[in-house]
Amino acid sequence: MPRTFLFAGVVTILSVLAAVVLARWRFGFDYAPTGVALDTLLLFPVTWLAILWIRGPVRLVMFAMLLAATFVLSHAVKLAFLGMPVSLADIGPGISLLHVLSGWRLTFALTGSMVYAGTLVWALWPRRGRARFVPLLAIYAAMLYWAANPVSDMLQGPGPEAGLASLREHGGVLALLRDTRGNDSKNAPSRHDVARILRGQTARDAAAPQGPRRNLYLFLLEAYWDPLKLRGYSFSRDPWDPRFRALWKEGGKSAVLSPVFGGATANAEFEVLCGLPAEPQGIDFQDDLDQAVPCLPRVLREAGYLTVASHPYQSGYWNRAIAYRRIGFERYDAIGTFVLDDMDGLFLNDGSTFRQISERLDARSPEKPLFSYVVSLSTHYPYGRNITKRPDLVTVTPSAPLLQAYANNLAYSSRALMDYLQHIRIEDPDALIVAFGDHAPVLGFNPDPYANSEMKLDESMPADRLAEVSETPLIVIDGERGAVSMGALPLYALPGRILSLLRRRLSNLPYLADDSGDRIFLRRFLGRTIVNGKGGWTYCKHETVPCATAKAREDRLSILKQDLLEGHQYSLDSPQGRGMKGESTMKVTETYGECSLQVEAWGPKQSQQGRGFTVQPDGASAIWMRLRSGRGVPELVIGNDRAKVTIDGKRGSATFRNPGFLNHLGPHDVRWECGPRRGGDLGTFLVTNPPGRSAGKTGGDPDAGQ
């Protein structure tokens, strides 16, 4: 027993130290000695218990290294990319991320996941007769889970801004477990709680005058942010189109503060459409929207508007097909509505997106006013671009490849946006146009443009610099008045301003009320809380008046949000709310379908028996394709083997790992399939004898090629 105890201790210490060194050297995050000690102390019992059934020291070492990578190193990796530690809520977004990766990034992510899972199973596979000890791990994990909050509270110093500091001082294990405990579900608000809030908050009319019904165009612009904030870099030209920069300045450089960084667009959508703060962890569209909620689309729909959401991507991504229906859209034009005629990597170019949306909306019946909501894609990570059509316009100094790719995509996207806005302003001069960025972009960590521009995303970051990362451009064009100033406000405050500018007596529920009379707001961002005041954005200290005022408003909104999304919806018992209870219908248009494939040419079309073709670095065999068009994730089928088709613009590829059809001589039918009902034939793939080998010596069917 003493020897196993000592061995488990040494293995745990070395594994944690290796993860800590790698976190500092590769990803720039330092754990404090107390954090290292706590991680070692809490992971040691896991390693020691595992000795009871693990098969030998090599497997134990591998298991300890995986533990350290999961609970220690993973936080540093996510911080380097997205500015936040790992959370249990990352599981859903992590799976969703695989849908937007391609090429080596997708291969790396899938291979890494499979290697991790396979190694973990291999390491933990119990010896004969020792499986009865495995539940001990579950017992220990449950003890840690329930002790995480009190232990962390006991160690936690005072002050509301202790997120990253707590991770550094108390280690990755407690940070992850504390976050998990913090995500426990709460009881739904009572009727009394909701009534108390509504008594103290009077819903305002959207505006007093009863004017004409104006069309509303709302643009969520993927990863639109001002790269000129990166003071450590120079640009050969402004990445924004000059017209975009001029219009932004005309509107007083208005900005919204996003709740997210680098991704999780759906949370920015939730705030701008529903007027409620998004959850700091998780995705509201996926995790919390359990019932219909009368958000901005439903309010406008009840007022007689045609409410249309347009986004050239899969309708189920971030649960949009369900979420959009529950918040009141009448129509959802997803990827199946668009001709994929001009791709930037995996995504439809914004120029094509705006043109196709314009053609559809211009052809509609003008009987109803329009609410058009558009989510763009050209500036989505990893910033793929058709460089033949769109060569570099911007050069970045010093070299930062990911930043340069982003800057060039931004240049082309902002040009396409301004062309479309010009069209709207000519054809519909009284329209209300609102365009904003959903979050700052992912720019990598080697180099890290944020850190190199004194914007390192850690606890030492000043509040005003944190606000700069959260702030994205906001352009509001109020018809013939032109661009108007909105100041800087959190994204959830924008719907009330939109309703006010529409100049209609619309039903204005309390959480959508215009708060223009009180401009003090909180913004929770990257685990910290900032508040605006006379001196700009500062960290929220509970003893200050601005923080207390803004915190009281956010607490009220949080209760209303929980009541609406997951509770009994007592908030809708008011006269204007009762008419909006229940779910409305929504049509998801699928002109072309989400999955299809039209192949102009493909190859290779033959190979020798037992030998790969177009062999990849990992030993797999690949088919290349030149496409007329392609969408979704079709499969290429050869014999009994299947491989998913990766589509990148007019190119496609399918990678077969250990293809069985290469063991059988002769022709094999090749076809593509999109599920059981859609597909087509592409021809045949011929498997021949290797040189110098007769058919009778192959082990295959000697008559297969006849």
Side-chain angles (χ1 to χ4, degrees):
M1 180 66 71
R3 292 179 59 187
T4 59
F5 187 90
L6 179 62
F7 181 65
V10 171
V11 168
T12 305
I13 291 171
L14 293 178
S15 299
V16 170
L17 287 177
V20 168
V21 170
L22 190 57
R24 179 179 183 180
W25 169 69
R26 194 72 180 90
F27 302 102
F29 183 76
D30 291 324
Y31 282 98
T34 52
V36 178
L38 282 169
D39 279 338
T40 304
L41 181 65
L42 294 173
L43 291 179
F44 164 70
V46 180
T47 310
W48 186 40
L49 288 172
I51 290 179
L52 294 174
W53 69 83
I54 280 183
R55 302 175 175 223
V58 174
R59 299 193 189 214
L60 183 69
V61 170
M62 290 301 301
F63 175 58
M65 291 174 63
L66 289 177
L67 277 180
T70 302
F71 289 96
V72 182
L73 181 60
S74 62
H75 292 291
V77 175
K78 189 185 173 192
L79 280 165
F81 280 99
L82 296 174
M84 285 284 285
V86 168
S87 160
L88 186 67
D90 293 334
I91 295 175
I95 295 173
S96 296
L97 177 64
L98 297 177
H99 292 273
V100 301
L101 296 179
S102 64
W104 69 266
R105 291 182 177 87
L106 179 61
T107 301
F108 180 81
L110 291 175
T111 302
S113 301
M114 289 188 292
V115 169
Y116 177 91
T119 305
L120 184 63
V121 171
W122 171 79
L124 282 177
W125 200 260
R127 288 181 285 172
R128 184 184 300 274
R130 296 297 184 96
R132 65 183 184 277
F133 293 112
V134 175
L136 292 175
L137 272 189
I139 295 172
Y140 179 68
M143 291 170 57
L144 275 183
Y145 175 78
W146 290 110
N149 271 1
V151 170
S152 192
D153 288 341
M154 180 178 64
L155 296 170
Q156 183 70 60
E161 303 305 329
L164 286 182
S166 177
L167 171 64
R168 195 183 303 278
E169 294 293 329
H170 305 147
V173 177
L174 275 180
L176 185 57
L177 290 174
R178 182 181 172 88
D179 172 80
T180 303
R181 294 286 290 122
N183 285 333
D184 285 349
S185 60
K186 302 175 183 178
N187 295 326
S190 68
R191 186 185 296 275
H192 173 75
D193 292 335
V194 174
R196 177 173 47 84
I197 292 172
L198 296 181
R199 278 197 301 269
Q201 182 173 349
T202 303
R204 302 177 179 91
D205 285 337
Q210 182 77 14
R213 298 193 298 177
R214 309 170 66 197
N215 294 328
L216 168 63
Y217 298 85
L218 178 61
F219 294 86
L220 182 150
L221 305 170
E222 170 63 35
Y224 263 53
W225 191 75
D226 189 359
L228 299 187
K229 294 178 183 178
L230 298 171
R231 298 159 196 170
Y233 294 84
S234 61
F235 301 84
S236 60
R237 54 149 281 188
D238 188 344
W240 285 357
D241 185 278
R243 296 170 294 170
F244 187 91
R245 178 78 61 182
L247 194 61
W248 184 57
K249 288 181 178 178
E250 181 186 336
K253 295 185 178 180
S254 300
V256 290
L257 277 78
S258 173
V260 291
F261 170 78
T265 294
N267 275 357
E269 291 190 79
F270 175 79
E271 288 206 352
V272 78
L273 294 172
C274 291
L276 295 164
E279 287 298 314
Q281 300 285 359
I283 303 295
D284 281 305
F285 274 6
Q286 280 189 170
D287 304 329
D288 300 319
L289 192 58
D290 295 338
Q291 51 199 352
V293 178
C295 296
L296 183 61
R298 180 68 179 270
V299 169
L300 293 175
R301 184 173 178 176
E302 293 295 325
Y305 277 70
L306 170 65
T307 56
V308 181
S310 302
H311 181 40
Y313 203 63
Q314 300 165 15
S315 62
Y317 197 73
W318 289 139
N319 200 38
R320 284 187 176 100
I322 295 175
Y324 283 176
R325 184 183 76 245
R326 286 180 175 167
I327 64 176
F329 278 108
E330 184 176 344
R331 197 176 89 201
Y332 177 18
D333 292 348
I335 190 172
T337 319
F338 292 83
V339 178
L340 304 183
D341 55 359
D342 188 4
M343 303 296 288
D344 280 329
L346 293 174
F347 307 115
L348 183 63
N349 172 261
D350 283 349
S352 176
T353 298
F354 298 146
R355 173 181 52 79
Q356 294 186 56
I357 291 172
S358 176
E359 290 171 353
R360 279 197 296 274
L361 296 182
D362 288 350
R364 79 187 190 283
S365 170
E367 295 175 359
K368 287 184 174 183
L370 172 70
F371 171 35
S372 170
Y373 170 65
V374 177
V375 180
S376 73
L377 271 175
S378 274
T379 43
H380 198 294
Y381 176 84
Y383 319 121
R385 175 165 39 95
N386 186 334
I387 58 174
T388 302
K389 290 184 176 181
R390 289 174 283 278
D392 278 1
L393 298 175
V394 186
T395 302
V396 177
T397 307
S399 176
L402 202 59
L403 173 58
Q404 181 157 317
Y406 167 71
N408 279 283
N409 281 29
L410 194 59
Y412 284 105
S413 175
S414 58
R415 176 194 294 177
L417 174 68
M418 294 311 300
D419 289 343
Y420 185 30
L421 296 193
Q422 181 178 342
H423 169 78
I424 294 174
R425 298 183 75 178
I426 292 172
E427 299 296 323
D428 192 358
D430 192 42
L432 175 61
I433 303 171
V434 181
F436 69 97
D438 65 335
H439 55 69
V442 172
L443 297 176
F445 63 92
N446 189 25
D448 182 348
Y450 294 105
N452 294 341
S453 303
E454 300 179 353
M455 302 175 83
K456 184 173 175 59
L457 304 175
D458 61 18
E459 72 273 21
S460 66
M461 193 176 195
D464 59 339
R465 300 293 273 166
L466 184 70
E468 280 193 79
V469 179
S470 176
E471 282 183 348
T472 63
L474 170 65
I475 290 177
V476 177
I477 303 173
D478 187 14
E480 295 183 347
R481 290 177 60 201
V484 295
S485 176
M486 305 294 288
L489 63 156
L491 193 49
Y492 62 81
L494 187 56
R497 307 292 174 87
I498 290 173
L499 285 172
S500 293
L501 288 170
L502 282 174
R503 299 197 294 273
R504 294 282 298 169
R505 289 187 184 275
L506 301 172
S507 174
N508 197 0
L509 300 173
Y511 55 96
L512 286 176
D514 176 18
D515 287 311
S516 57
D518 187 353
R519 295 180 176 271
I520 300 176
F521 296 103
L522 286 184
R523 176 74 281 173
R524 299 187 188 277
F525 182 66
L526 295 182
R528 281 149 285 181
T529 305
I530 54 178
V531 61
N532 61 339
K534 293 181 180 179
W537 291 92
T538 60
Y539 284 117
C540 184
K541 307 297 182 182
H542 288 309
E543 66 272 11
T544 65
V545 173
C547 182
T549 301
K551 183 70 167 57
R553 176 200 284 116
E554 191 177 70
D555 288 344
R556 293 194 298 269
L557 288 177
S558 296
I559 292 175
L560 293 177
K561 175 185 174 182
Q562 195 172 0
D563 171 61
L564 287 163
L565 271 62
E566 303 173 280
H568 302 288
Q569 297 194 324
Y570 298 127
S571 309
L572 301 181
D573 286 345
S574 61
Q576 65 264 52
R578 277 196 291 270
M580 296 190 190
K581 283 190 174 182
E583 200 162 299
S584 54
T585 59
M586 182 184 76
K587 178 183 179 183
V588 180
T589 52
E590 296 288 355
T591 308
Y592 304 99
E594 286 198 355
C595 179
S596 66
L597 195 68
Q598 293 185 339
V599 180
E600 292 183 343
W602 63 277
K605 297 186 177 181
Q606 68 175 43
S607 185
Q608 296 170 5
Q609 187 182 40
R611 297 187 181 179
F613 51 90
T614 321
V615 179
Q616 305 300 296
D618 62 356
S621 297
I623 295 285
W624 59 263
M625 284 168 276
R626 186 169 71 246
L627 306 179
R628 185 176 299 110
S629 67
R631 63 179 69 239
V633 188
E635 286 188 312
L636 196 67
V637 183
I638 305 180
N640 293 321
D641 295 284
R642 294 175 173 269
K644 291 183 178 179
V645 177
T646 300
I647 299 171
D648 186 359
K650 297 294 184 181
R651 297 175 297 174
S653 63
T655 302
F656 291 88
R657 305 182 187 280
N658 303 315
F661 62 85
L662 287 179
N663 297 322
H664 304 283
L665 293 173
H668 301 269
D669 291 335
V670 180
R671 58 182 283 105
W672 65 270
E673 293 182 358
C674 284
R677 297 184 180 180
R678 297 195 66 187
D681 296 323
L682 297 181
T684 59
F685 186 98
L686 181 63
V687 178
T688 64
N689 270 312
R693 182 183 296 178
S694 65
K697 297 179 181 179
T698 64
D701 183 357
D703 298 320
Q706 304 302 315

